[in-house]
Amino acid sequence: MQGIRFHRYNKRVIYLYFSAEPELARRSALKALREKLPHRNESNYISFNMAETALDTVTSECDYLPLGYESKAVLAEDCSFLAKATKKQSGVKGKGSKKEKKVDPALDRFAAYCRNPNPLIDLFLVTYSETLDETNPAVIAIKQTGKLLPLPMPEPARLIGAASTFFAKRNCHAPREACQELVERVDGDYGRYLSEREKIALYANGEPVTLSMVEKLVAPKMEENTFEISNALLKGDTASAIRIYHDLKVFGADEVRLINMLATQLRFLDQVSFLYREGYNSTAIAERLNVKSYRVSVSLRSVTNADPMALWAIQEELYETEKSILSGMETPRFAFERFLANFTL
C-alpha cells in the first residue's frame, strides 16, 4: 500500500470542471472520468447530486478506501457552493451595515480534505457557473492540490465541425450550410445544440441532412424573429407579423417571452430614432449602441418617420397585453394576436 501511495502522491486527484453551460461541464467531467476509470462498479465509483446531498457525505466518502481496488472515483455534480455568488445571492446589505460572512463547518471540513486529499481517490467536481468564488477555502485548496478546468462555450466554427462529424458518424452526412444553420439557431445553448443535432439525426434516419430539414426541425433565434416582427409592424405589414408569430408557435414560442423581447426591440428602435434625430449616421449609431451596422440601417428605414411618442405608446400596449396574460384575463395566443392585429402607428 505504501508503494502505491508513494507512486500516486504527486498526481492530481481533484478535478474541478466549471462552465455556464451545465451540459458542457457535465459531459467533460464524465469523459475524463471514463478515461481515468474505464471499469466502474459500486465498489470503486460513486456519484452525488449536490443539490440533494450534504457536503459532509462527499467528504466522508472520500475517506473510505476502495475494497479490493487500487483506486476509486467520486463524482459530485452541481457544486453551487464553489461558484461565485451574484449580488442577489450574496445578500448585500444596505449602506452602513456590516456584512458578515457565515462560517460553514461542513465547507471547512471539505476544504481541509482538499488540502490533503486521499491519493487513492480521484474526486471530480462539476460547477454550473462561469466563475468560481476565489475566496472559498475549498477553491483555494483545490488550486494547490488539484486542477481547475474552466470550460467556455466552444467557438461556432468548432461546433459546426463537431456537428458535421456527428452526422457523418450517424450515416446522415450534412453540408456545412446545414450545420451552420443549426449552430446559429441554438444561439450559444450547448445543451440545446446537443439535443437538436440528435433530433435531426433521428429524423434523417440515415438520409443526408439538408438545410430545409434543419429549418423545419430547429426553432430559429427568437431575437431575429422579434426583429422581423417589429419591422413588419412598423411598415404596416400586420399580415407578415402575424405569419412570423404563427411560424414561431409551431416551435412552441412563449408569448410572454415574445412580448419582453419585442419591448426590448422597440426600446432599441427608440434609441436609434433619438440618435438619428441628434444627427448621427448609421455607422456612428452602431458604434454608440455596439451593434451591427446592418441592424441599424434596417431599423432606420422603419423609424425615420415614426413618432417617438407612438413608440412609447406601443410599449405601453405591450405592457397591458402581458398583464392581461399573467392575470388570466386572456389566453396568451388571443392576447398577442389581438396586439398584432390592432397595431397602429
Side-chain angles (χ1 to χ4, degrees):
M1 182 66 74
Q2 287 295 327
I4 294 173
R5 282 181 175 274
F6 179 80
H7 176 69
R8 288 173 56 85
Y9 187 75
N10 290 320
K11 290 190 175 182
R12 303 281 188 178
V13 293
I14 303 179
Y15 308 89
L16 173 50
Y17 294 82
F18 60 101
S19 174
E21 292 292 329
E23 198 61 25
L24 179 59
R26 181 174 177 276
R27 283 181 172 240
S28 298
L30 288 173
K31 180 182 178 183
L33 196 156
R34 284 193 296 269
E35 293 173 354
K36 194 84 174 176
L37 193 66
H39 304 294
R40 300 184 302 279
N41 57 47
E42 60 183 12
S43 297
N44 67 355
Y45 169 69
I46 188 167
S47 63
F48 299 101
N49 181 340
M50 297 312 296
E52 305 167 351
T53 307
L55 184 54
D56 275 336
T57 302
V58 176
T59 306
S60 298
E61 188 62 43
C62 289
D63 276 331
Y64 296 146
L65 295 176
L67 297 176
Y69 289 88
E70 180 183 315
S71 62
K72 171 182 170 181
V74 176
L75 171 67
E77 296 186 53
D78 198 6
C79 297
S80 58
F81 61 92
L82 299 174
K84 185 176 182 179
T86 62
K87 288 184 179 180
K88 186 176 181 181
Q89 292 171 327
S90 60
V92 178
K93 297 182 179 180
K95 190 177 180 181
S97 64
K98 226 175 185 179
K99 189 171 70 174
E100 295 182 5
K101 195 167 185 177
K102 291 183 180 179
V103 177
D104 184 351
L107 179 59
D108 283 345
R109 287 189 287 270
F110 180 70
Y113 171 81
C114 291
R115 285 191 288 272
N116 186 28
N118 188 331
L120 296 177
I121 297 176
D122 289 303
L123 175 59
F124 294 84
L125 304 169
V126 183
T127 301
Y128 305 143
S129 173
E130 191 174 2
T131 53
L132 300 173
D133 180 2
E134 298 292 338
T135 65
N136 188 302
V139 173
I140 294 171
I142 294 168
K143 270 187 175 182
Q144 298 171 347
T145 62
K147 195 169 185 180
L148 303 182
L149 298 156
L151 296 162
M153 181 67 177
E155 293 295 320
R158 186 177 169 189
L159 291 176
I160 292 169
S164 179
T165 301
F166 172 81
F167 291 129
K169 287 181 178 178
R170 299 290 291 269
N171 296 317
C172 49
H173 296 268
R176 180 179 173 80
E177 60 177 6
C179 296
Q180 183 173 342
E181 185 67 23
L182 166 63
V183 171
E184 289 178 357
R185 289 190 173 225
V186 298
D187 195 24
D189 186 331
Y190 189 74
R192 188 177 169 222
Y193 164 77
L194 295 175
S195 62
E196 294 290 1
R197 73 179 190 181
E198 181 69 31
K199 180 172 71 177
I200 292 169
L202 288 171
Y203 182 87
N205 193 28
E207 297 295 324
V209 173
T210 63
L211 176 60
S212 61
M213 192 182 293
V214 175
E215 292 172 340
K216 177 182 178 181
L217 296 174
V218 184
K221 287 198 292 187
M222 295 284 280
E223 291 83 356
E224 289 185 1
N225 283 279
T226 51
F227 183 59
E228 291 178 5
I229 288 175
S230 64
N231 283 331
L233 290 174
L234 290 171
K235 291 176 183 175
D237 189 356
T238 303
S240 291
I242 293 175
R243 177 184 53 75
I244 296 168
Y245 165 62
H246 286 169
D247 289 343
L248 288 173
K249 283 302 292 181
V250 172
F251 295 101
D254 178 76
E255 282 78 8
V256 172
R257 186 183 175 203
L258 274 174
I259 287 170
N260 290 328
M261 294 178 74
L262 194 53
T264 299
Q265 174 61 20
L266 288 167
R267 285 193 292 273
F268 171 75
L269 291 173
D270 189 41
Q271 290 176 314
V272 170
S273 178
F274 172 78
L275 291 172
Y276 179 74
R277 293 195 306 275
E278 289 292 304
Y280 290 86
N281 60 25
S282 61
T283 303
I285 293 172
E287 290 176 356
R288 286 290 299 271
L289 300 181
N290 193 28
V291 295
K292 294 180 179 179
S293 297
Y294 170 77
R295 185 180 176 192
V296 173
S297 298
V298 173
S299 299
L300 278 174
R301 290 198 291 270
S302 301
V303 301
T304 301
N305 299 316
D307 181 0
M309 294 306 294
L311 291 174
W312 281 100
I314 296 165
Q315 292 180 62
E316 181 64 25
E317 180 61 28
L318 277 173
Y319 167 75
E320 293 297 331
T321 302
E322 181 181 34
K323 188 168 72 172
S324 70
I325 292 172
L326 296 178
S327 66
M329 293 176 61
E330 295 178 318
T331 64
R333 181 159 192 155
F334 176 82
F336 195 74
E337 285 189 335
R338 177 184 53 77
F339 163 76
L340 294 176
N342 295 335
F343 185 94
T344 55
L345 275 178

